[in-house]
Amino acid sequence: MSDSSVSNNIEINRDQLPNHVAVIMDGNGRWAKNRNLIRTNGHTEGLKRAKEIAKAASDLGLKFITFYVFSTENWKRTKEEVGFLMNLIHTYLLSEFAFCKENGIRVKLLGDRTGLPKNVQEDLNKIEKDTESFTDKLTICLAINYGGRNEIIRGIKKLIANGIDPETITEESISESFDVPELPDVDLLIRTGGEKRLSNFLMWHSAYAELLFKDTLWPDYHKEEFYSDIAEFQKRTRRFGAVPQ
Ligand code: IPE
Ligand code: IPE
Ligand code: MG
């Protein structure tokens, strides 16, 4: 494979891909409002973009991509909107993401599954089981009923329940207590929808992430913009606290 390749006229160096891209898919409601549609129409359109970007990530050869689907704070929305979102996941997850099983892509849930409706838990269990052996290509993490603080609390509870000696706690042992223990640090975090905040997403894993805040509303975010965001990431200088030679 050549060092650099062109994806839709955007030059991307395949040897310097971010290992883990995290995406906050924000702006569905405003996208719908701008079109005089109801908010939930924005979520339906947003699902299509999630699929498009997941395929683009796979085509590019990324190893990990995490999508923020539903936060622990999103339960504060109306009963109708929450119900619509859970139903959208239940209705489309297995069919729209069938390409994962066919293309050797692993799917994992990030978040507290016990708080999700039974049918959504069953869908997630099925897609995880069907794809669990696919460890050498892309892993798609779906953050559903996910909160960064909640994940840290659940992880610490697990460590304590396993009788960990406080003296042996390391960054690695904490990372390994999380929902997807092998999930690496986030290299690139993209948030669409114009807000410049993390909204409780991957707080531990994003400690040294490059942040990219885009004004594009999620349903307008297509693969060309994703590729250009990867190219933008490749122009950043990452120092991790050191002074470059
Ligand atoms: C993101 O879009 C999707 C979810 C949080 C489920 P929003 O629904 O937050 O859309 P805006 O931010 O209100 O436009
Ligand atoms: C973050 O978006 C959560 C998801 C995209 C799933 P929100 O719209 O919920 O975030 P806030 O409320 O603007 O912080
Ligand atoms: Mg929002």
Side-chain angles (χ1 to χ4, degrees):
M1 197 195 296
S2 66
D3 278 355
S4 77
S5 68
V6 175
S7 295
N8 298 76
N9 295 323
I10 297 150
E11 191 92 10
I12 293 175
N13 184 343
R14 300 239 183 188
D15 292 335
Q16 281 174 21
L17 291 174
N19 194 27
H20 181 191
V21 177
V23 188
I24 303 179
M25 311 184 284
D26 196 23
N28 292 351
R30 281 163 285 161
W31 179 91
K33 189 162 182 267
N34 292 345
R35 284 167 176 71
N36 291 319
L37 299 169
I38 50 169
R39 290 180 55 81
T40 48
N41 291 136
H43 298 317
T44 307
E45 193 62 23
L47 170 73
K48 296 183 195 160
R49 292 299 94 69
K51 186 175 172 184
E52 178 180 338
I53 300 307
K55 283 191 165 162
S58 170
D59 292 346
L60 198 57
L62 292 188
K63 288 288 182 206
F64 290 91
I65 188 162
T66 303
F67 292 102
Y68 207 4
V69 178
F70 191 91
S71 74
T72 47
E73 286 70 38
N74 287 146
W75 298 106
K76 293 176 194 160
R77 297 188 178 198
T78 63
K79 208 165 103 251
E80 289 72 27
E81 184 166 346
V82 169
F84 182 90
L85 283 164
M86 291 303 148
N87 201 38
L88 193 70
I89 297 168
H90 173 58
T91 311
Y92 292 108
L93 178 73
L94 294 180
S95 56
E96 290 295 304
F97 282 77
F99 71 92
C100 294
K101 200 174 159 184
E102 291 147 20
N103 289 284
I105 298 168
R106 185 168 63 147
V107 180
K108 299 284 278 179
L109 169 72
L110 212 59
D112 188 352
R113 84 178 65 216
T114 59
L116 290 167
K118 272 275 162 315
N119 56 6
V120 171
Q121 288 188 38
E122 283 161 15
D123 299 334
L124 287 161
N125 291 344
K126 174 153 178 41
I127 199 163
E128 285 186 317
K129 187 115 203 47
D130 286 351
T131 64
E132 70 186 353
S133 62
F134 305 144
T135 52
D136 57 336
K137 291 202 222 163
L138 174 67
T139 296
I140 297 176
C141 293
L142 300 174
I144 309 176
N145 193 22
Y146 177 84
R149 288 183 171 184
N150 175 274
E151 182 180 45
I152 292 168
I153 291 170
R154 285 185 293 109
I156 290 173
K157 281 184 180 170
K158 256 186 255 168
L159 291 176
I160 293 172
N162 291 338
I164 192 162
D165 170 1
E167 291 309 316
T168 66
I169 292 179
T170 59
E171 292 190 6
E172 287 71 29
S173 62
I174 292 185
S175 295
E176 281 160 17
S177 74
F178 293 152
D179 293 328
V180 179
E182 69 276 29
L183 190 67
D185 283 350
V186 175
D187 297 301
L188 171 62
L189 186 144
I190 301 168
R191 181 174 187 143
T192 62
E195 312 290 0
K196 293 175 183 63
R197 55 176 168 255
L198 292 181
S199 301
N200 201 10
F201 189 41
L202 288 172
M203 296 173 33
W204 175 275
H205 307 78
S206 295
Y208 247 109
E210 294 298 324
L211 309 178
L212 210 42
F213 296 106
K214 310 297 302 270
D215 287 331
T216 310
L217 302 173
W218 176 252
D220 290 326
Y221 189 84
H222 287 276
K223 64 173 189 281
E224 294 73 18
E225 186 167 353
F226 179 66
Y227 288 138
S228 96
D229 287 345
I230 302 285
E232 163 69 27
F233 164 83
Q234 294 187 329
K235 291 187 202 136
R236 302 262 181 109
T237 305
R238 304 183 79 193
R239 285 187 286 277
F240 298 100
V243 177
Q245 298 296 306

